[in-house]
């Protein structure tokens, strides 16, 4: 009986811990997305050139690889995640300026924004309600990302529009898989650091938005 | 601009370099799929494909 009480208390503790990580992750994710949007607006107001996107993304990537994992367990991690998402938002602003100049630009941006929101909410809801452990997808998702990165590398020099569209479609599917994977890792207790969890989900949302923007822009008949 | 392409290529190579250990870790130590697991992934991903096609048709 005592053993049963102890295991029940432990499982309740772990559920409470999981709910806390989940709540903190979604709160920080909302804050970083709002901050990104503000930085994108600043970048658009400053009419930044397209190369600002690449420089910002590479800067954010360097911070995400080298600085964030070292600071994620302290309060400094919050500052670093805002710096990363702010940089990515700033870069995004220069891309949005290009799309806004298209005849259907505002419609494309609005559709990509709404579509990204629906994809994220739908997949998160599915992962939360199905209670399945999607961590078996880890090897497949990272292998898929490496294949996509090799295709991106090849297309930097080949400039094939069809390959570029295939890459965007592949990224949407892979990032959708990462939303399931990351959310289920939070639920199962595999990810207990809400800063790292936020970073993973933010990257998935950002990449889905950019890829959707590319697909809609290219297939809308505007260019 | 060539230097931009070279910078982007360097970024992609760096990402590949840092993604390799994560791939190795998950492919060697990650849990294996059980019966019905992949089906539970394919269904929502198929819904995403349909949704993206719908969005493309909306902006055409």
């Amino acid at each position: 009986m005592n053993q049963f009480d102890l295991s029940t208390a432990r499982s309740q503790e772990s559920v409470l811990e999981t709910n806390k990580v989940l709540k903190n992750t979604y709160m920080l994710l909302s804050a970083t997305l709002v901050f990104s949007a503000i930085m994108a607006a600043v970048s658009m107001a400053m009419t930044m050139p397209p190369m600002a996107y690449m420089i910002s993304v590479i800067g954010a990537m360097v911070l995400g690889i080298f600085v964030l994992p070292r600071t994620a367990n302290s309060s400094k991690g919050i500052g670093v995640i805002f710096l990363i998402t702010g940089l990515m938002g700033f870069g995004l602003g220069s891309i949005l300026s290009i799309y806004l100049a298209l005849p259907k630009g505002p419609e494309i941006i609005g559709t990509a924004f709404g579509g990204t929101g629906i994809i994220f909410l739908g997949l998160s809801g599915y992962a939360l309600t199905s209670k399945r452990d999607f961590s078996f997808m880890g090897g497949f998702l990272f292998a898929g990302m490496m294949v996509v990165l090799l295709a991106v590398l090849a297309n930097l020099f080949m400039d094939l529009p069809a390959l570029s569209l295939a890459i965007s479609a592949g990224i949407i599917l892979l990032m959708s898989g990462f939303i399931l994977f990351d959310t289920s890792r939070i639920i199962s207790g595999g990810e207990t650091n809400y800063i790292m969890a936020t970073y993973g989900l933010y990257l998935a949302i950002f990449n889905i938005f950019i890829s959707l923007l590319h697909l809609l822009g290219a297939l809308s008949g505007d260019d | 601009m060539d230097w931009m392409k070279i910078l982007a290529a360097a970024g992609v190579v760096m990402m590949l370099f840092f993604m390799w250990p994560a791939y190795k870790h998950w492919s060697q130590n990650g849990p294996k799929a059980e019966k019905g697991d992949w089906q539970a992934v394919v269904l929502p991903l198929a819904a995403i494909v349909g949704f993206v096609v719908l969005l493309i048709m909306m902006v055409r």
Side-chain angles (χ1 to χ4, degrees):
Chain A
M1 192 68 180
N2 281 345
Q3 215 171 13
F4 175 76
D5 286 347
L6 193 66
S7 70
T8 309
R10 265 189 198 152
S11 83
Q12 277 180 343
E13 208 174 283
S14 112
V15 168
L16 283 174
E17 182 61 30
T18 299
N19 286 344
K20 196 179 153 192
V21 175
L22 203 58
K23 191 181 127 195
N24 286 342
T25 302
Y26 285 139
M27 278 173 67
L28 186 59
L29 185 63
S30 311
T32 51
L33 287 171
V34 169
F35 184 60
S36 266
I38 293 169
M39 289 307 288
V42 169
S43 164
M44 286 166 78
M46 289 168 69
T47 54
M48 294 304 289
M51 71 174 162
Y53 171 71
M54 208 172 69
I55 293 168
S56 301
V57 166
I58 289 178
M61 199 173 75
V62 169
L63 285 171
I65 291 173
F66 297 106
V67 184
L68 191 65
R70 289 182 175 86
T71 53
N73 289 316
S74 67
S75 56
K76 280 180 195 164
I78 305 269
V80 175
I81 190 98
F82 273 99
L83 188 59
I84 292 171
T85 54
L87 263 176
M88 291 180 82
F90 191 77
L92 181 67
S94 61
I95 299 290
L96 291 180
S97 299
I98 298 172
Y99 279 93
L100 272 179
L102 296 173
K104 283 185 188 172
E107 187 191 345
I108 291 168
I109 293 173
T111 309
F113 183 76
T116 306
I118 290 170
I119 289 172
F120 175 70
L121 290 177
L123 289 172
S124 298
Y126 178 71
L128 289 169
T129 52
S130 73
K131 306 267 180 201
R132 259 180 199 273
D133 184 6
F134 290 105
S135 51
F136 67 90
M137 294 167 72
F140 171 80
L141 289 174
F142 283 104
M145 264 321 288
M146 290 175 75
V147 171
V148 164
L149 285 174
L150 284 173
V152 169
L153 192 61
N155 210 34
L156 274 174
F157 302 98
M158 295 196 300
D159 272 336
L160 297 173
L163 181 58
S164 165
L165 289 179
I167 288 168
S168 289
I171 288 176
I172 291 175
L173 285 178
L174 279 171
M175 292 301 140
S176 298
F178 268 111
I179 291 174
L180 293 176
F181 174 75
D182 286 338
T183 309
S184 95
R185 265 174 45 81
I186 299 170
I187 300 166
S188 64
E191 180 59 85
T192 52
N193 187 308
Y194 69 93
I195 296 176
M196 292 308 288
T198 300
Y199 182 56
L201 289 175
Y202 177 90
L203 283 183
I205 293 171
F206 186 89
N207 284 316
I208 289 176
F209 179 66
I210 286 282
S211 302
L212 211 45
L213 208 53
H214 179 220
L215 277 182
L216 297 179
L219 299 174
S220 69
D222 261 1
D223 53 4
Chain B
M1 273 183 279
D2 277 350
W3 71 268
M4 271 180 74
K5 279 186 179 180
I6 291 165
L7 191 66
V12 172
V13 169
M14 192 173 80
M15 276 174 77
L16 274 168
F17 183 74
F18 284 98
M19 206 164 270
W20 176 251
Y23 162 70
K24 249 178 100 175
H25 168 79
W26 281 103
S27 58
Q28 285 171 0
N29 308 318
K32 298 284 169 258
E34 287 169 19
K35 201 180 171 200
D37 276 351
W38 279 111
Q39 198 185 351
V41 172
V42 168
L43 285 172
L45 292 190
I48 298 292
V49 172
F51 180 62
V52 171
V53 170
L54 184 75
L55 292 179
I56 291 168
M57 283 164 65
M58 275 170 65
V59 294
R60 277 183 88 89

